Amino acid sequence: MKKIKDHYFYKAKSENFRARSIYKLQEIQKKFQLIKTGDHILDLGSAPGSWCQFLAQTVGQQGRVVGIDLKPVEKIPGGSVETIQADIFTFDFSLLPKFNGITCDAAPNTTGIKDIDSSRSLSLLEKVCRIASVKLNPLAGFAVCKYLQGIPLDEVKALFLEYFFMVSYYKPKSSRSESSEIFVIGRKLKKNNAQDHQPANSSAP
Ligand SMILES: C[S@@+](CC[C@H](N)C(=O)[O-])C[C@H]1O[C@@H](n2cnc3c(N)ncnc32)[C@H](O)[C@@H]1O
């Protein structure tokens, strides 16, 4: 992924965060106040680890963060973060306990063709919703997911509304204006969610 050496890049360096992406989650947290002290958070697409660093600070010593990425994540000091090197499409999520929330900054392999990239991004969101349906507590659980725009946001909203009562979008200031990314926030997981939308032969969740 191309490194953008802007104000946020240097700020992240000076504040010892591993990536400028930290400021996107920080802005989301400032606006929506999703993550609480003591929460257990599942962070998908977590390398190099700046969201995990921020999550660890926010949940504190009583909280717990599990990060999953295709790439290894260098150990995060403090003891509340565990990272797993895996593909979220094939990982067996039944190995993990329940969480208060899911954050997902995973980026699909992009082609530069807007519709293909957006459709890959939507597949990631669908996967995150299915994970949410089994790993979050109904009415309380939340999910924050990056989405590369292309396929209309109405479709994304319809997907999220199958799983969550409340759906919002947010484009943080630290997300470059020329980037198609936007963050989708689902709150209050529905009890009767759409696990049964999976094809019968797909692996759970
Ligand atoms: C923009 S980076 C995440 C940055 C991270 N939030 C941080 O603050 O350090 C996107 C990550 O998504 C990961 N990713 C993409 N597809 C994935 C998948 N199927 N399973 C696990 N990780 C994936 C990539 O390996 C990449 O490290």
Side-chain angles (χ1 to χ4, degrees), residues 55-73:
L55 288 166
Q57 287 178 0
T58 310
V59 301
Q61 282 302 313
Q62 307 305 314
R64 183 174 150 84
V65 179
V66 176
I68 301 186
D69 202 289
L70 295 167
K71 299 176 200 152
V73 176

Side-chain angles (χ1 to χ4, degrees), residues 1 19 21-22 43 45-51 68-71 86-89 105-108 124 146:
M1 193 171 296
S21 328
I22 145 74
D43 182 46
S46 47
S50 80
W51 280 29
I68 301 186
D69 202 289
L70 295 167
K71 299 176 200 152
D87 183 336
I88 65 166
F89 285 100
D105 193 24
L124 271 165
K146 174 157 77 186

Side-chain angles (χ1 to χ4, degrees), residues 58-153:
T58 310
V59 301
Q61 282 302 313
Q62 307 305 314
R64 183 174 150 84
V65 179
V66 176
I68 301 186
D69 202 289
L70 295 167
K71 299 176 200 152
V73 176
E74 200 180 309
K75 190 168 171 47
I76 293 174
S80 57
V81 182
E82 176 197 345
T83 56
I84 300 167
Q85 187 175 0
D87 183 336
I88 65 166
F89 285 100
T90 53
F91 182 69
D92 179 2
F93 283 89
S94 71
L95 299 171
L96 298 179
K98 289 241 179 192
F99 293 89
N100 300 98
I102 298 177
T103 54
C104 178
D105 193 24
N109 280 331
T110 50
T111 60
I113 302 166
K114 196 174 172 184
D115 285 350
I116 296 177
D117 295 345
S118 184
S119 130
R120 287 182 182 174
S121 181
L122 189 58
S123 301
L124 271 165
L125 294 199
E126 283 165 354
K127 181 65 185 172
V128 171
C129 284
R130 291 206 299 274
I131 298 166
S133 72
V134 290
K135 286 293 148 198
L136 298 181
N137 291 319
L139 300 177
F142 68 85
V144 174
C145 305
K146 174 157 77 186
Y147 172 60
L148 304 180
Q149 296 182 79
I151 293 168
L153 280 174

